[in-house]
Amino acid sequence: DSGVTQTPKHLITATGQRVTLRCSPRSGDLSVYWYQQSLDQGLQFLIQYYNGEERAKGNILERFSAQQFPDLHSELNLSSLELGDSALYFCASSPQVPGELFFGEGSRLTVL
Amino acid sequence: DAKTTQPPSMDCAEGRAANLPCNHSTISGNEYVYWYRQIHSQGPQYIIHGLKNNETNEMASLIITEDRKSSTLILPHATLRDTAVYYCIVRSTGANSKLTFGKGITLSVRP
């Protein structure tokens, strides 16, 4: 158990819909990262937050947005969902930047 | 961040040492070598990292060549539970540096 909690574990929705994935980092970790893993793309870095501020951006689509709240939990919002958004979405936290990342078990999104 | 090259797959016998190679010929002086592994769609797990000295922890050893252009992750006594994809990643010390995963190497431990 890494100490990073992600909800929901599984989510099935339809194209065009919007979903929110939630991440609670390890206690005391200020930095949160989001990754997407699909079968053909591998693990893709999406975005990083540190203590509520965006620090780095990767291949995150404009339809996706994220934020980190004052209590340090983070949410990844995915809108206008397409079939290709079906993937595992991982959140990770880190006690310092840069440092080891501790990953959650992921949220598996299926878009039908 | 510098890129890494890993063979796509390898196997080893249970109980034997697994030596996983990684090339990072363009690594620069402030870049660390990190190893993570991912067991069948679980969240990636941190294993070890190093700058230029060899490192050892309860999971593995990391051997970095003197010129830092390659490294080897050693699992001293592989078990079936070590079957996973292992990622070698080079990462700078900058605050905005990202952990960029490549395709990794699939290690299969056979009974």
Side-chain angles (χ1 to χ4, degrees), chain B residues 10-18 20 37 75 77-84 86 106-111:
Chain B
M10 66 176 289
D11 63 18
C12 76
E14 189 176 21
R16 305 297 294 268
L20 286 70
R37 74 179 182 183
L75 307 179
H77 306 286
T79 71
L80 299 178
R81 287 177 296 177
D82 292 323
T83 292
Y86 287 77
T106 299
L107 173 66
S108 300
V109 180
R110 61 180 187 276

Side-chain angles (χ1 to χ4, degrees), chain A residues 23-45:
Chain A
C23 170
S24 294
R26 296 188 325 153
S27 177
D29 285 0
L30 299 179
S31 198
V32 169
Y33 303 74
W34 285 98
Y35 283 82
Q36 178 194 55
Q37 185 172 35
S38 53
L39 279 174
D40 57 345
Q41 291 291 326
L43 272 159
Q44 298 288 314
F45 168 73

Side-chain angles (χ1 to χ4, degrees), chain A residues 33 35 37 97-101 104, chain B residues 36 38 43-44 46 91 93 95 99:
Chain A
Y33 303 74
Y35 283 82
Q37 185 172 35
V97 180
E100 301 94 270
L101 269 62
Chain B
Y36 283 74
Q38 186 175 25
Y46 165 80
R91 187 185 188 196
T93 55
L99 202 67

Side-chain angles (χ1 to χ4, degrees), chain A residues 4-67:
Chain A
V4 177
T5 304
Q6 291 188 246
T7 57
K9 286 186 169 35
H10 301 276
L11 189 55
I12 301 174
T13 189
T15 54
Q17 295 297 305
R18 173 190 170 94
V19 298
T20 297
L21 309 180
R22 182 188 169 100
C23 170
S24 294
R26 296 188 325 153
S27 177
D29 285 0
L30 299 179
S31 198
V32 169
Y33 303 74
W34 285 98
Y35 283 82
Q36 178 194 55
Q37 185 172 35
S38 53
L39 279 174
D40 57 345
Q41 291 291 326
L43 272 159
Q44 298 288 314
F45 168 73
L46 295 179
I47 199 163
Q48 177 206 350
Y49 282 84
Y50 179 79
N51 203 21
E53 293 188 4
E54 183 184 305
R55 271 292 177 92
K57 222 168 186 176
N59 301 321
I60 188 166
L61 299 172
E62 284 192 11
R63 300 183 286 108
F64 297 179
S65 65
Q67 55 184 323

